[in-house]
Amino acid sequence: MPLLFLRAAALFAFAGLFSLLVLWCPPLHAQQAPGATQTVTDLAGRSVKLPARVERILLGEGRLLPALAVFERDDPARRLVGMMGDYESLDEAGYAQWRSRFPQIDKVPRVGRNSAGSFSDEQAIALRPQVAILGLAGGHGPSKNDRETLARLEAAGVAVVFIDFRHDPLKNTVRSMELLGAVLGKRKEADEFVAFWRAQLERVESRLRNAPASTRYPTVFLENRVGLSDECCATMVGLVGLLMDAGGANNVARGLIPGEHGTLNPEFLIATQPQLYIGTGIGSMATVQKSPLRIVLGADATPEAARASLVRATQRRGIAQLQAVQQPGRAHAIWHHYYNSPFNVVAVQVFAKWQHPELFADLDPRETLQTMFQRFQPIPLTGVYWTSL
């Protein structure tokens, strides 16, 4: 056999073998050395060194589960070694939907209940998480101000990253999702979510920017967690108030409430007579009997129950005297938990329609929410998340 032919055959065989090796080469993340690391900047401005491939996660708030699921749609609990217990206690109907689809979530150890003070450093460290994902402003879990907790976790080798949907949602939702994409090795999923979120916010912001000069932002009283207490009139300028402002509102509490939330005097409200009333709902179908003044919204709510609960809530002393609840189309309610959710842009659209109905006549927030669930969540959209009289 000629030597030239043998060389050609050998070269062809080598090329074929090389092609097979390329085709069967594992993905990049699987080639990373066990000790490989990456460095990210979290929402507290901290430079955090963490494993390049994260397999063990601790959630500092249970209600961050839907955000995690954007990146882990097949099994949100796959990398979850521990979490706080706030989800099932503060939004029982919402958590039940996740439990039904992913029963293994119930088996994830809880490291606390629904307050930062209940968080157990010892339990969290014993679970050996590589990364703890905490809320920047806390509320129902450790925050950046819980320095002792932070120090103990880091001393045990746990990388701590802070995200934020609560304190400054319009700025920090995008940054938080991009950070989660980097931490979880899911940058493509982060980019897809962020692009959609930005487009939906721009639908509101662009119209408000280009609205006629005669456009006036209506005065609004936003009642916080309706029915949680018998007293009137808890309100917010932060939290849900920031989402309401983004929809073009003049919050009557602005400048009167120190911090993110507080209480207004009922006499002040009656004298001011805001043009719109909006309450936030923390009730569910299961709470109707024991807490009848709570507004029923969320994963198990029906349109009839939601509206009926708003009727009851607006008949309370201090609220019933407001002209906004006496006239059709001026009293509304929205799901409270949008204040700590990456789907908060839907609330901005809802507020925009209520506050500027003519300007946003063609906007359909329910369609936006449906699309977000279809594209970014492993569970179906159920229930009612806002209602009006």
Side-chain angles (χ1 to χ4, degrees), residues 298-359:
D300 69 343
T302 65
E304 297 77 16
R307 192 178 190 281
S309 68
L310 179 55
V311 169
R312 291 192 298 272
T314 54
Q315 292 173 347
R316 292 150 47 233
R317 187 176 63 181
I319 301 298
Q321 287 74 32
L322 299 180
Q323 295 174 12
V325 306
Q326 299 169 6
Q327 301 178 21
R330 292 175 55 188
H332 313 278
I334 193 165
W335 190 55
H336 180 75
H337 301 286
Y338 276 126
Y339 85 94
N340 195 26
S341 165
F343 303 103
N344 46 30
V345 70
V346 174
V348 175
Q349 292 189 352
V350 174
F351 286 127
K353 278 191 74 76
W354 288 340
Q355 292 157 181
H356 303 276
E358 294 182 1
L359 193 61

Side-chain angles (χ1 to χ4, degrees), residues 98-249:
W98 287 92
R99 178 199 289 130
S100 175
R101 175 67 177 84
F102 301 101
Q104 62 270 34
I105 288 175
D106 259 353
K107 299 177 182 178
V108 175
R110 302 309 195 251
V111 295
R113 295 180 296 279
N114 58 14
S115 68
S118 69
F119 181 83
S120 171
D121 303 346
E122 292 78 10
Q123 278 185 284
I125 291 169
L127 294 170
R128 298 182 297 108
Q130 295 168 295
V131 176
I133 299 171
L134 308 183
L136 181 68
H140 296 284
S143 75
K144 66 173 183 175
N145 297 321
D146 293 303
R147 296 176 182 176
E148 291 185 6
T149 294
L150 182 62
R152 291 191 189 105
L153 290 172
E154 291 183 331
V158 182
V160 178
V161 294
F162 288 102
I163 62 174
D164 176 50
F165 305 117
R166 180 185 192 273
H167 177 66
D168 191 354
L170 298 182
K171 176 181 177 182
N172 288 344
T173 294
V174 165
R175 295 175 60 201
S176 295
M177 296 303 283
E178 289 175 339
L179 176 61
L180 286 175
V183 169
L184 301 171
K186 300 273 190 172
R187 295 177 187 271
K188 179 176 179 290
E189 287 82 351
D191 290 345
E192 290 174 353
F193 183 91
V194 165
F196 186 84
W197 189 95
R198 279 179 164 152
Q200 298 309 311
L201 182 63
E202 178 62 15
R203 294 177 71 186
V204 174
E205 291 184 334
S206 61
R207 290 196 193 182
L208 290 175
R209 282 196 306 267
N210 299 312
S214 59
T215 302
R216 296 290 179 267
Y217 287 11
T219 55
V220 186
F221 170 54
L222 177 64
E223 188 173 14
N224 183 19
R225 298 180 298 180
V226 175
L228 185 62
S229 68
D230 294 333
E231 299 177 357
C232 179
C233 303
T235 190
M236 296 171 279
V237 292
L239 309 173
V240 179
L242 297 175
L243 305 177
M244 187 177 80
D245 288 350

Side-chain angles (χ1 to χ4, degrees), residues 5 11 17 34 39 62 99 109 111 113 139 160 174 190 233 237 247 260 264 293-294 300 339 371 374 381 383:
F5 178 84
L11 184 60
L17 178 61
T39 300
R99 178 199 289 130
V111 295
R113 295 180 296 279
V160 178
V174 165
C233 303
V237 292
E260 295 179 324
L264 289 177
L293 295 183
R294 293 189 180 186
D300 69 343
Y339 85 94
T371 301
Q374 289 173 345
L381 173 62

